Amino acid sequence: MAGLVRKSFDSADETRPFHDGKGRLDLLQTSGGPVGRAVFEPGWRWSEHIKPLVGTDSCKSAHTGYVVSGRMKIVMDDGQSDEYGPGDFMEVAPGHDAWVIGDEQCVALDWTGFGDYAKPA
C-alpha cells in the first residue's frame, strides 16, 4: 500500500448515471474498498430512478455515509423514516426507499454501500 494516495471524484474511476438523468454515482476504488459520491438531482427518487436499473422492490444496499449538501428522506420497508441534511452522518440498513427533498441537489458520500449501487442487474 502506498504511503499517500490522492484521488478526485471529479475524475472518478467509474461513473454510473441514474435513470432519466436524475443524478449519478462517482466511484473511487481504494485499498479499503469502493467509496462513492452520489449526486441526486431534485425530483430523484430511488423507486423511480434506481429500481428500473437494479430490479429490486427496495434498495438492498446498506449505507454508511455523510450528506454534503441538500436534503434526503429515507423510509425503511417497515415504515421507519428520517430526514438527512448537510453535515449528517447516516447508517441505513438494506430495505428502503429514498428521495430528494426540495429543489437543491443532494450530494452524499458513502464508504460501504455504493460498490454495487445503481449497477444494472
Side-chain angles (χ1 to χ4, degrees), residues 8-40:
S8 172
F9 285 111
D10 294 332
S11 56
D13 296 321
E14 182 181 356
T15 296
R16 297 179 192 154
F18 299 156
H19 185 70
D20 288 341
K22 285 292 185 180
R24 70 182 187 281
L25 170 63
D26 299 317
L27 202 60
L28 299 177
Q29 297 299 331
T30 76
S31 61
V35 176
R37 173 185 70 181
V39 178
F40 304 99

Side-chain angles (χ1 to χ4, degrees), residues 40-95:
F40 304 99
E41 297 293 339
W44 176 89
R45 186 175 183 127
W46 185 93
S47 54
E48 295 175 20
H49 301 101
I50 304 298
K51 181 179 179 175
L53 297 171
V54 301
T56 58
D57 288 336
S58 61
C59 181
K60 300 305 180 192
S61 295
H63 302 286
T64 306
Y66 176 81
V67 179
V68 177
S69 63
R71 300 200 68 75
M72 180 172 287
K73 174 120 183 190
I74 300 176
V75 178
M76 302 301 296
D77 290 349
D78 68 4
Q80 181 185 6
S81 68
D82 208 343
E83 188 176 310
Y84 298 86
D88 287 342
F89 168 83
M90 62 180 171
E91 284 185 304
V92 181

